[in-house]
Structure formats: structure tokens, C-alpha cells
Amino acid sequence: MNNRDEQLLQIKNELLELKDGELADLRRKTKMLPVIGEGSHEAKIMFVGEAPGKNEAATGRPFCGASGKVLTAMVEHVGMKREDVYVTNIVKDRPPDNRDPLPQEIALYAPFLDRQIDIIQPKVIATLGRFSMAYIMNKFGLAAELKSISQIHGKVFKVKVSGGLGDLTIITLYHPAVALYNGSMRQQLFTDFEIIKKIVL
Ligand code: URA
């Protein structure tokens, strides 16, 4: 096991032991799993979603349900494979009835995401949906450019980060779930994804 594997395993163990918050309580009561992240620990691109849904909490794997099918199709559309990228969420336990995560839940789980970013050191972070967009843009000093997702979907932001991350590109994408109910949004999502081809490949 290399150093990245060990550090990510440490995060997994901490999340399994996490006692704080309603979501971890609920996870234990319902015998579900935390969803930490999946994919290459050397990935150049990290996708950050919102929170696990039912399938994800049952299996411990991010984006393995209906939205995950859309994400996989988009990743393949731009010539990559799911195993080449790293996929995670801000919130690591499932909110009941898939409700939006609360600010205190984002605050509780975000330090785990921060550590995943520091360990994997992606060149590109692609946010999926408005919660990860807001969190990542604020984290990397882009608060002034934060607008509604309908205004900045498919946009590319370049930031210089001190420490190991160096030059980082942030791409703000719609959440794949939008494609499940709306065909024109599906088309938009695929079009937005094509920017990744130019940046990563
Ligand atoms: N939606 C998300 O935001 N993340 C998942 O892992 C699954 C659905």
C-alpha cells in the first residue's frame, strides 16, 4: 500500500467510527455505509457530488445508482473510464429521503473532502451540483465569482493554490440527476462535459 492508499484508508476508518451528527446515527440504525470515494488515487480529475443516495449508502460506493449511470456515460463520452478518475461527495452519509444537506452537515463532512483533495492532489476538480460548487469555489477563493448554477455551469476557473496542489482548474457542472428528468438538460450536461476533454486529455 502506498502513502496515498494508507491516508485514504485512514479517512475511511475515521468515517466508519464517526459518532457526530444525525446522519451517522441514522446510518448505524439503518445498517447503511458511509460513502467515502472511489477511483484512482492518482487521478488527475476529481468529481465532487453532493451526498449519497439510497443505492450508494447500501453499497458504500459513490454514484452507483441512476445518477451514477449518467455520470459514467459522461465520463466515457469524453474518452475516460470511471476507474481513471476519482469520485466522491461533500457529505459522506445519506441525508434521509435524499433531502438537501444542511449547512452543519456540510461543515461536519467537508474536512474529510479537504483531506481527500490534499492526498490525491488532482489537477482538476469538477463539481457536480450547486452544493459542491459553492463549497469548492468558496474554499479556493472564488466566492466573488459564485453565481447560480444555471449561470456558471460548464465554466472553467483557474486558481493557484499554495502547497502541493499548485495550479488547479475547477469546472462547475450540473448534478447528473438533472439529466434523469429532462432530456435537454442531459444534452447540456454532455456538452458541458466536453470542456474536460480539452483540459484533462
Ligand atoms: N448523488 C450524489 O450527489 N452523490 C452520489 O454519490 C449519488 C447521488
Side-chain angles (χ1 to χ4, degrees):
M1 226 192 289
N2 70 28
N3 204 267
R4 288 184 184 193
D5 298 346
E6 276 167 23
Q7 291 179 72
L8 289 163
L9 183 60
Q10 168 71 21
I11 293 178
K12 178 176 180 176
N13 290 335
E14 286 176 34
L15 279 164
L16 282 165
E17 291 301 314
L18 183 76
K19 301 277 187 303
D20 302 336
E22 181 206 353
L23 301 187
D25 258 7
L26 206 58
R27 177 229 301 165
R28 284 203 177 77
K29 282 193 192 120
T30 54
K31 302 205 183 324
M32 293 283 144
L33 292 166
V35 177
I36 293 118
E38 185 177 80
S40 167
H41 296 175
E42 321 289 325
K44 282 200 208 129
I45 179 162
M46 178 185 280
F47 290 92
V48 183
E50 182 178 313
K54 196 173 182 185
N55 290 302
E56 289 77 20
T59 58
R61 300 184 49 224
F63 282 97
C64 66
S67 306
K69 279 208 179 97
V70 178
L71 177 62
T72 304
M74 293 190 298
V75 166
E76 291 175 355
H77 174 66
V78 294
M80 295 184 296
K81 298 197 197 98
R82 271 284 290 254
E83 55 266 35
D84 300 331
V85 306
Y86 191 80
V87 180
T88 188
N89 291 300
I90 316 186
V91 171
K92 314 297 192 188
D93 283 308
R94 182 185 180 219
D97 304 318
N98 297 343
R99 65 156 166 73
D100 287 346
L102 303 173
Q104 65 266 30
E105 291 164 351
I106 293 177
L108 174 66
Y109 290 97
F112 295 100
L113 172 64
D114 292 346
R115 283 163 61 194
Q116 288 172 301
I117 294 170
D118 285 342
I119 296 165
I120 295 176
Q121 306 220 329
K123 288 273 138 227
V124 178
I125 297 178
T127 61
L128 301 169
R130 64 200 161 100
F131 291 98
S132 58
M133 174 184 80
Y135 179 73
I136 293 290
M137 286 185 73
N138 281 323
K139 172 178 166 68
F140 289 107
L142 295 168
E145 300 188 61
L146 186 56
K147 298 197 177 99
S148 76
I149 195 157
S150 58
Q151 289 171 291
I152 56 171
H153 65 89
K155 291 250 181 295
V156 174
F157 300 91
K158 299 215 178 245
V159 286
K160 282 206 182 299
V161 188
S162 56
L165 278 174
D167 291 328
L168 176 68
T169 301
I170 293 166
I171 305 176
T172 45
L173 299 167
Y174 278 120
H175 192 284
V178 301
L180 297 176
Y181 316 107
N182 183 324
S184 68
M185 289 296 265
R186 183 180 172 92
Q187 190 50 51
Q188 184 65 62
L189 209 49
F190 273 77
T191 307
D192 287 351
F193 242 74
E194 285 168 9
I195 194 77
I196 290 176
K197 250 194 242 173
K198 295 192 190 124
I199 290 169
V200 183
L201 301 177

